[in-house]
Amino acid sequence: MPDEITADCVIEDDRWEAAGLDDLAAKAVEAALSWHRIGGEVVVMGCDDARIASLNADFRGKPRATNVLSWPSVEHLPHPPGEAPEIPDEDELGDIAIAYETCAAEAQAQGKPFDHHVLHLLVHATLHLLGYDHDTDPDAERMETTERAILARLDVPDPYGETAR
């Protein structure tokens, strides 16, 4: 398992440059991987809604914009519902794409700071790269609990709380 943690950003939409995606990605990936006591590399692409809609259509058959997508570098082994996944022993963990307009609209609608919402989505996507999912209620509960713990280290309030902070 690698010791170094790297988040490489590819900026396709200049608004991500202004929003500080490089720093946000570094914080989110570092927090998620160090929480698991592993290293690894994650590539994060900051794009717009049109680009992520195209990716969503190509890879998931859903031709619409979404907030974030992730592509793990390995196929994850099944795990019993609610149990932690087996963490991959890989240097390159996978890729993430995040859409500016959707993230901005969601943050505004939820009354959350933009950077907090982006950190949450990047932690969430990084956990997908590690094998977490939310296909069952027990898996969703485990993933959300893990997200809350990681985000607390970043001073980001519970994103699943009743009220926005």
Side-chain angles (χ1 to χ4, degrees):
M1 186 63 61
D3 293 329
E4 188 176 336
I5 296 173
T6 306
D8 292 325
C9 282
V10 176
I11 306 290
E12 287 194 358
D13 184 313
D14 291 340
R15 292 173 291 182
W16 281 116
E17 191 77 46
L21 182 61
D22 284 320
D23 290 338
L24 294 170
K27 286 179 187 176
V29 170
E30 193 280 329
L33 298 186
S34 66
W35 193 87
H36 289 88
R37 295 183 177 95
I38 64 167
E41 179 183 350
V42 174
V43 175
V44 177
M45 179 179 65
C47 61
D48 61 15
D49 275 7
R51 176 75 160 125
I52 210 161
S54 175
L55 293 168
N56 205 16
D58 290 348
F59 290 97
R60 299 177 65 222
K62 298 179 179 184
R64 63 181 182 274
T66 188
N67 50 21
V68 68
L69 293 171
S70 59
W71 295 270
S73 62
V74 298
E75 188 170 332
H76 297 288
L77 298 173
H79 59 275
E83 290 190 15
E86 183 176 327
I87 303 299
D89 186 14
E90 298 289 323
D91 290 342
E92 297 176 7
L93 296 169
D95 302 328
I96 295 169
I98 187 164
Y100 189 87
E101 295 98 334
T102 297
C103 290
E106 288 174 347
Q108 182 176 5
Q110 296 171 23
K112 297 176 181 177
F114 180 75
D115 61 330
H116 286 185
H117 189 54
V118 171
L119 286 167
H120 173 222
L121 292 173
L122 292 173
V123 165
H124 180 88
T126 302
L127 292 179
H128 277 307
L129 298 181
L130 298 180
Y132 285 80
D133 63 55
H134 39 81
D135 296 337
T136 67
D137 287 343
D139 285 338
E141 186 175 325
R142 167 154 312 261
M143 189 169 188
E144 290 173 12
T145 298
T146 304
E147 289 172 19
R148 286 182 183 105
I150 293 166
L151 291 169
R153 291 181 171 190
L154 297 171
D155 295 321
V156 174
D158 179 359
Y160 299 105
E162 294 282 329
T163 60
R165 298 176 197 183

